[in-house]
């Protein structure tokens, strides 16, 4: 079945089993491997993408449900790593193994789009569902605050 | 000593080829280690590791180790870049193929990458630098000793004498290799010892970093395997009618570890696998369970085991002392649960095999692939990709062998096998469960005079001649406490559950046990836990050092109201570590508010990465202490995903 949606700013049509989770369509069908598989049950956040700006777990989102919607993956967050969250992540050198980070970044970007100056409690709430087995949590928290500052400063760090 | 040579570019096999410039190859010391063990590969030595300085000033380092987040790519590059004196911003890295003739054993276990690379990588960097200096001296007709280097440039005495490494690299490549290039005075280091930014961050923030699971090979198909839920069980019979009816399923085949379903994408393969109807022969472990395992441990610990350490005569001293203490501690099996589930991609073409893997054991992966393909290791090409965590799990290569088995059955077609999270959690090689029975006694002043620990724990390593597996007793038989009568003995207690490395092994539970029991002794004798440790470690300066630092930084003895402190100190493979945890208990609920850690790990190449590793270890340890437990029922693991095996989260 043909399903059409907006993906990272462009129009995308895929012809797949409509029940296939968006995660596997992105990774296997479209080759966008920045979005990761971690649990397949909305328990870890590795597969987080944005659908119409909201952070969503793509492993439990049937591709048919995104028809006509706007999907953003880590590859589409910015063309040149200029998104405040990516800049803050680089400034804080957050990733260790890095596997969870696409999901962390997409969740953090969605938080900042809604809450310009998140508190520690806001950050915990928004990122509780994103597991990092390397334990980069302290750096993630610092980076989210920093991203908020970058954004408030009009993109200047 | 490592051999260094200037290499003819064309002699290097490398996808894409190497551009113009200086290419300096060298061999690494593991090779000579292999030779010393009489396992020297038959192939002639090849200088496989290299530094390449392109005419565009780009400096490329070939990394022979693997990266799982521990920072190897960055730290090893720092060693090369420091002595080369190049511009850090121009450094690129690539992962080397597996080639014992050039690199010896390739793998990342036992925290050894920096230790083994410290000398040879700096020497290689220094040699390349001297050649660039020489090339500039030729060009300017100057005396080499008058020239110096400066972050990717050679600088002469007159103001216009300044040439980039790139512009000198071709000329340098024609020069002979310098003998004994001098190494920098460590006081002048500009990278080593500094919190240099990681080289892999950009790719990991843009989604471009390629992990094993991200391998994409033209024409690739996808696989999922159903394995017997009981350890040691196997397929008795299966019906794949329903599986083959799932859209996108291409193929079903039995392999040594279970039944594999091949599909046109991962989802189709996983759905097909769910639709399989399999009868298992559950084998000898079908009734194994956690309670029975605990009982076996406790029973074994009734009798003396193989002696791992003995100072004084604990038995006699115990009999002669009035103030005695005993305690039993037990820790469960634990899963590694790296965020990237296990996976591997492989293709078998005629008499060759190629794999793409995220593995801690690059050499072992090559051997496993060769065995499964029925080829010699020389005919297997290994592509090392980033690991989404390893923690010891990826030191096992079971997932490589089974992928190649599938690939062999469909020759010419690349196959990517992806484990589900449930596969990963239920078919792990677990941190062993362990049981320790402690005994202790106090002298007339309340100081410990006896400390005994009897360990019952499965073993996955080879026991030494006397029956002791050091991975099971490490953290106990390595204790440096000056207690006059100290005994550690061991019972091998295998339960049919696969076990292996887990961010070290014995240290992960034994340190906790020993520190807790020591505190029980301190309390019984009315001693402060830090004071007691200081006294017992008076002759262990590095342990004493970290203990004193951590006590001071944590404000030992004066926790905020309602909070309590606990302390532990340990030497694990030469890294001396002390921690103070600040906790509170509200209605039986434990909360850890703060952990202060002091580490003395010797030479620090990159303090930011060491800090990351320590924070990471603390979070991993807290996940285990507060949340994790793998339990067994009817021979199978009861947990399957992060709902039943939760780990620490950001809050
Ligand atoms: S893979 Fe989707 S939440 Fe874990
Ligand atoms: S950086 Fe490794 S899981 Fe988060």
């Amino acid at each position: 079945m043909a399903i059409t949606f907006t993906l990272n700013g462009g129009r995308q049509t895929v012809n797949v089993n409509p029940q296939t989770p968006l995660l596997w369509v992105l990774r296997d069908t479209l080759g966008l491997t920045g979005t990761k598989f971690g649990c397949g049950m909305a328990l870890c956040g590795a597969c987080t993408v944005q659908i119409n700006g909201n952070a969503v777990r793509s492993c439990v989102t049937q591709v048919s449900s995104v028809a006509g919607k706007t999907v953003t993956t880590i590859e589409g967050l910015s063309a040149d790593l200029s998104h405040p969250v990516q800049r803050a992540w680089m400034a804080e050198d957050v990733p260790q193994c890095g596997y969870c980070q696409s999901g962390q970044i997409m969740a953090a970007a969605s938080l900042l789009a809604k809450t310009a100056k998140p508190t520690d409690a806001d950050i915990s709430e928004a990122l509780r569902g994103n597991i990092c087995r390397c334990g980069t949590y302290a750096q993630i928290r610092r980076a989210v605050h920093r991203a908020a500052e970058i954004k408030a400063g009009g993109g200047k760090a | 000593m490592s051999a260094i040579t200037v290499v003819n570019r064309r002699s290097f096999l490398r996808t894409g080829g190497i551009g113009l410039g200086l290419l300096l190859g060298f061999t690494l010391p593991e090779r000579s280690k292999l030779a010393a063990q009489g396992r020297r590969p038959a192939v002639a030595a090849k200088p496989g590791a290299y530094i390449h300085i392109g005419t565009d000033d780009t400096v490329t380092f070939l990394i022979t180790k693997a990266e799982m987040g521990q920072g190897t790519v960055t730290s090893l590059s720092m060693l090369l870049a420091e002595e080369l004196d190049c511009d850090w911003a121009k450094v690129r890295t690539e992962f080397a193929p597996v080639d014992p003739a050039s690199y010896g054993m390739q793998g990342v276990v036992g925290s050894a990458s920096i230790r083994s690379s410290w000398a040879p990588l700096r020497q290689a960097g220094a040699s390349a630098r001297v050649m660039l200096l020489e090339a500039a001296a030729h060009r300017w007709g100057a005396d080499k000793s008058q020239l110096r280097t400066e972050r990717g440039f050679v600088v002469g005495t007159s103001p216009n004498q300044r040439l980039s490494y790139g512009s000198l690299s071709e000329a340098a490549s024609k020069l002979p290799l310098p003998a004994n290039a001098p190494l920098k005075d460590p006081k002048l280091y500009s990278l080593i010892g500094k919190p240099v930014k990681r080289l892999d961050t950009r790719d990991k923030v843009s989604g471009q970093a390629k992990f094993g699971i991200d391998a994409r090979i033209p024409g690739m198909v996808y696989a999922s395997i159903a394995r017997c839920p009981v350890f040691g069980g196997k397929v008795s019979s299966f019906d794949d009618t329903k599986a083959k009816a799932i859209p996108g399923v291409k193929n079903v085949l039995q392999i040594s570890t279970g039944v594999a379903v091949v599909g046109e994408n991962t989802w189709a393969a996983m759905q097909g696998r769910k639709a399989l109807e399999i009868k298992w022969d559950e084998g000898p472990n079908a009734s194994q369970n956690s309670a029975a395992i605990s009982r076996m441990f406790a029973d074994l610990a009734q009798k003396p085991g193989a002696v791992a350490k003995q100072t004084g005569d604990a038995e006699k001293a115990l009999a002669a002392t009035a103030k005695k203490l005993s305690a039993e501690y037990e820790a469960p099996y634990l899963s590694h649960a790296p965020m990237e589930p296990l996976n591997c991609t492989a293709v078998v073409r005629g008499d060759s095999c190629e794999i793409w893997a995220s593995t801690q054991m690059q050499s072992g992966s090559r051997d496993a692939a060769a065995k499964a393909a029925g080829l010699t290791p020389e005919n297997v090409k290994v592509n090392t990709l980033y690991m989404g965590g390893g923690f010891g799990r990826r030191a096992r290569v079971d997932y490589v062998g089974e992928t190649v088995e599938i690939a062999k059955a469909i020759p010419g077609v690349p196959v990517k096998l992806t484990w589900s999270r449930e596969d990963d959690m239920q078919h792990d090689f677990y941190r062993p469960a362990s049981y320790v029975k402690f005994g202790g006694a106090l002298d007339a002043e309340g100081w410990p005079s006896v400390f005994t620990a009897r360990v019952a724990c499965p073993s996955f390593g080879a026991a030494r001649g006397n029956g002791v597996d050091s991975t099971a007793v490490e953290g106990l038989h390595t204790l440096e406490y000056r207690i006059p009568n100290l005994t550690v003995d061991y019972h091998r207690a295998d339960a049919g559950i696969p076990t292996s490395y887990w961010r070290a092994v014995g240290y992960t539970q034994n340190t906790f046990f020993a520190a807790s029991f020591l505190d029980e002794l301190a309390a019984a004798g009315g001693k402060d836990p830090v004071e007691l440790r200081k006294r017992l470690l008076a002759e262990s300066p590095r342990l004493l050092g970290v203990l004193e630092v951590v006590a001071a930084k944590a404000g030992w003895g004066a926790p905020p109201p309602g909070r309590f402190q606990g302390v532990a100190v340990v030497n694990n493979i030469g890294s001396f570590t002390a921690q103070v945890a600040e906790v509170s208990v509200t209605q039986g609920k434990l909360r850890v508010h703060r952990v202060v850690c002091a580490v003395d790990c010797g030479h620090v190449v990159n303090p930011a990465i060491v800090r990351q590793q320590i924070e990471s270890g603390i979070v991993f340890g807290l996940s285990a202490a507060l949340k994790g437990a793998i339990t067994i029922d009817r021979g199978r693991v009861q947990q399957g995903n992060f709902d039943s095996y939760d780990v620490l989260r950001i809050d």
Side-chain angles (χ1 to χ4, degrees):
Chain A
M1 192 179 113
I3 296 149
T4 302
F5 54 99
T6 303
L7 177 61
N8 296 334
R11 215 177 118 91
Q12 180 72 55
T13 300
V14 289
N15 220 318
V16 293
N17 175 349
Q19 283 170 7
T20 312
L22 175 62
L23 170 67
W24 298 113
V25 175
L26 291 171
R27 289 183 53 82
D28 293 352
T29 314
L30 301 173
L32 292 179
T33 53
T35 304
K36 303 301 188 206
F37 166 57
C39 69
M41 283 177 62
L43 295 169
C44 78
C47 65
T48 307
V49 300
Q50 291 176 5
I51 299 178
N52 291 349
N54 297 314
V56 171
R57 309 291 184 235
S58 65
C59 67
V60 291
T61 304
Q62 291 192 357
V63 65
S64 57
S65 76
V66 303
K69 294 187 181 160
T70 298
V71 177
T72 308
T73 69
I74 185 79
E75 290 91 347
L77 195 58
S78 72
D80 51 2
L81 292 169
S82 61
H83 190 283
V85 172
Q86 288 172 314
R87 291 172 55 187
W89 245 248
M90 285 190 285
E92 295 287 344
D93 231 0
V94 176
Q96 288 187 27
C97 84
Y99 194 78
C100 72
Q101 300 295 341
S102 300
Q104 307 276 5
I105 290 170
M106 295 312 286
S110 160
L111 166 68
L112 282 187
K114 297 187 176 107
T115 313
K117 209 174 164 2
T119 61
D120 275 338
D122 295 334
I123 296 172
S124 295
E125 183 61 35
L127 296 180
R128 181 177 291 130
N130 289 77
I131 296 176
C132 175
R133 275 297 265 167
C134 298
T136 62
Y137 298 127
Q139 278 170 294
I140 287 175
R141 191 178 288 284
R142 278 199 296 276
V144 177
H145 285 304
R146 189 166 186 148
E149 280 164 32
I150 294 174
K151 212 175 156 199
K156 284 180 262 305
Chain B
M1 201 54 237
S2 63
I4 306 178
T5 41
V6 187
V7 183
N8 176 342
R9 283 185 296 272
R10 277 163 295 277
S11 73
F12 263 88
L13 286 173
R14 174 168 162 264
T15 36
I18 294 181
L20 290 175
L22 170 63
L23 184 65
L24 197 71
F26 51 96
T27 53
L28 290 165
E30 274 95 343
R31 215 188 154 267
S32 18
K33 241 193 267 167
L34 280 184
Q37 294 163 357
R39 290 199 282 137
R40 180 178 219 128
V43 206
K46 280 193 294 177
Y50 65 73
I51 298 173
H52 176 246
I53 300 168
T55 49
D56 62 351
D57 289 336
T58 308
V59 177
T60 306
F61 297 140
L62 189 77
I63 303 290
T64 64
K65 298 287 181 182
E67 174 72 55
M68 54 182 154
Q70 83 279 40
T72 318
V73 162
T74 305
S75 305
L76 296 183
S77 296
M78 285 169 71
L79 300 180
L80 286 160
E82 181 69 69
E83 292 294 345
L84 178 57
D85 204 14
C86 62
D87 181 356
W88 185 246
K90 301 258 162 69
V91 172
R92 308 280 175 270
T93 62
E94 285 177 15
F95 288 115
V98 172
D99 182 359
S102 300
Y103 316 121
M105 193 284 286
Q106 283 168 267
V108 282
V109 286
S111 313
S113 295
I114 292 289
R115 286 165 220 230
S116 65
S117 308
W118 172 249
L121 294 195
R122 286 182 309 137
Q123 195 62 52
S127 301
R129 176 177 166 273
V130 168
M131 293 169 78
L132 292 158
L133 278 171
E134 220 147 294
H138 277 291
R139 191 156 313 171
W140 294 328
D143 178 357
K144 190 179 72 177
S145 65
Q146 298 297 303
L147 311 180
R148 62 195 169 82
T149 55
E150 199 184 278
R151 285 246 265 144
F153 288 89
V154 178
V155 183
T157 40
S158 79
N160 57 357
Q161 285 182 335
R162 188 177 164 86
L163 285 171
S164 77
Y165 280 8
S167 61
L168 291 165
S169 59
E170 261 301 291
S173 72
K174 314 228 154 58
L175 295 174
L177 192 78
N180 298 327
L183 291 173
K184 261 191 196 172
D185 177 347
K187 283 203 276 303
L188 301 176
Y189 283 163
S190 62
L191 294 170
I192 295 175
K194 307 277 184 315
V196 174
K197 289 266 188 263
R198 294 177 65 119
L199 290 172
D200 49 358
T201 297
R202 287 181 72 88
D203 280 352
K204 289 177 176 178
V205 164
S206 65
Q208 296 307 315
K210 293 287 174 261
F211 294 84
I213 203 169
D214 300 331
R216 284 181 69 79
I217 316 301
M220 179 167 83
V221 295
Y222 301 79
S224 174
I225 297 176
R227 298 170 190 79
C228 182
V230 178
F231 295 109
K234 48 183 193 293
V235 177
S236 172
S237 66
F238 69 97
D239 179 349
D240 58 10
T241 321
K242 288 186 187 140
K244 283 185 165 157
I246 300 277
V249 168
K250 290 168 165 287
N251 205 350
V252 177
L253 60 137
Q254 187 175 345
I255 60 166
S256 64
T257 56
V259 181
V261 176
V262 178
E264 62 189 25
N265 57 52
T266 313
W267 175 246
M270 286 178 168
Q271 293 305 103
R273 172 256 181 104
K274 271 191 209 146
L276 286 170
E277 288 170 9
I278 308 176
K279 272 213 187 67
W280 301 107
D281 165 5
E282 297 191 347
N285 296 315
S287 60
Q288 186 60 288
N289 63 76
S290 286
I293 295 171
S294 279
R295 262 196 319 275
M296 171 183 66
F297 288 173
D299 286 350
L300 281 170
Q302 295 306 315
K303 290 198 247 33
V307 175
K309 179 183 173 98
Q310 190 161 29
T311 318
D313 187 338
E315 211 172 317
K316 213 159 109 200
L318 264 179
T321 321
K323 201 135 193 213
K324 277 181 255 193
L325 238 68
S326 71
E328 289 100 49
Y329 288 86
E330 197 174 355
Y333 290 101
L334 290 171
S335 177
H336 299 83
M339 284 317 295
E340 179 195 12
L342 299 175
N343 64 84
C344 178
T345 301
V347 61
V348 177
R349 291 195 173 96
D351 57 1
S352 75
C353 171
E354 183 165 5
I355 67 167
W356 292 261
S358 40
T359 168
Q360 285 176 252
M361 269 297 179
Q362 297 141 288
S363 306
S365 292
R366 179 173 176 257
D367 295 347
K371 194 163 166 235
L375 297 170
T376 57
E378 289 69 34
N379 290 320
V380 177
K381 183 174 173 207
V382 178
N383 300 280
T384 299
L385 298 170
Y386 281 120
M387 280 177 270
F391 314 123
R393 176 60 179 95
R394 287 189 157 91
R396 296 285 181 158
V397 293
D398 48 329
Y399 55 100
V400 174
E402 55 183 20
T403 308
V404 174
E405 271 191 63
I406 304 171
K408 195 184 175 197
I410 38 175
V413 182
V415 183
K416 170 152 64 179
L417 168 70
T418 303
W419 288 36
S420 67
R421 175 57 60 194
E422 290 78 8
D423 295 339
D424 186 275
M425 208 167 271
Q426 294 173 344
H427 298 277
D428 200 347
F429 288 83
Y430 304 86
R431 194 287 303 272
S434 177
Y435 175 99
V436 181
K437 188 177 160 77
F438 286 99
L442 302 174
D443 66 16
E445 275 93 55
W447 300 108
S449 55
V450 180
F451 186 105
T452 66
R454 177 166 301 151
V455 181
C457 176
S459 170
F460 61 88
R464 288 197 313 243
N466 59 357
V468 176
D469 173 8
S470 60
T471 65
V473 293
E474 61 189 14
L476 290 169
H477 80 305
T478 51
L479 284 177
E480 291 179 38
Y481 297 130
R482 291 278 151 173
I483 298 175
N485 305 287
L486 200 158
T487 309
V488 178
D489 57 351
Y490 169 67
H491 286 284
R492 185 177 178 133
D494 289 337
I497 313 298
T499 55
S500 190
Y501 305 101
W502 187 90
R503 277 204 134 154
V505 190
Y507 284 105
T508 66
Q509 74 272 17
N510 290 335
T511 304
F512 166 72
F513 295 161
S516 302
F517 187 63
L518 196 67
D519 283 353
E520 294 196 40
L521 290 173
K527 308 294 181 199
D528 174 77
V530 168
E531 285 314 310
L532 171 64
R533 284 170 172 80
K534 277 193 196 164
R535 181 185 163 105
L536 298 179
L537 294 173
E539 287 165 47
S540 304
R542 294 181 72 184
L543 285 172
L544 199 57
V546 288
L547 179 62
E548 281 171 349
V549 169
V550 86
K553 298 274 179 194
W556 177 259
R563 296 197 188 167
F564 305 89
Q565 293 169 318
V567 66
V569 55
V570 68
N571 163 21
N572 178 5
I573 342 181
S575 285
F576 300 80
T577 309
Q579 285 188 11
V580 169
E582 201 175 287
V583 307
S584 67
V585 184
T586 329
Q587 292 167 344
K589 258 198 83 125
L590 183 73
R591 189 167 171 91
V592 180
H593 297 271
R594 192 162 88 111
V595 175
V596 182
C597 179
V599 186
D600 166 6
C601 56
H603 261 305
V604 172
V605 175
N606 187 327
I609 289 179
V610 171
R611 191 197 163 96
Q612 277 189 327
Q613 282 295 291
I614 297 300
E615 287 188 5
S616 173
I618 292 171
V619 172
F620 211 79
L622 287 175
S623 282
L626 301 173
K627 306 199 169 212
I630 288 292
T631 54
I632 311 293
D633 186 37
R634 294 183 300 125
R636 54 200 95 203
V637 167
Q638 291 178 288
Q639 293 69 29
N641 211 317
F642 292 115
D643 48 355
S644 46
Y645 189 83
D646 197 14
V647 294
L648 229 58
R649 291 160 185 272
I650 195 165
D651 61 346

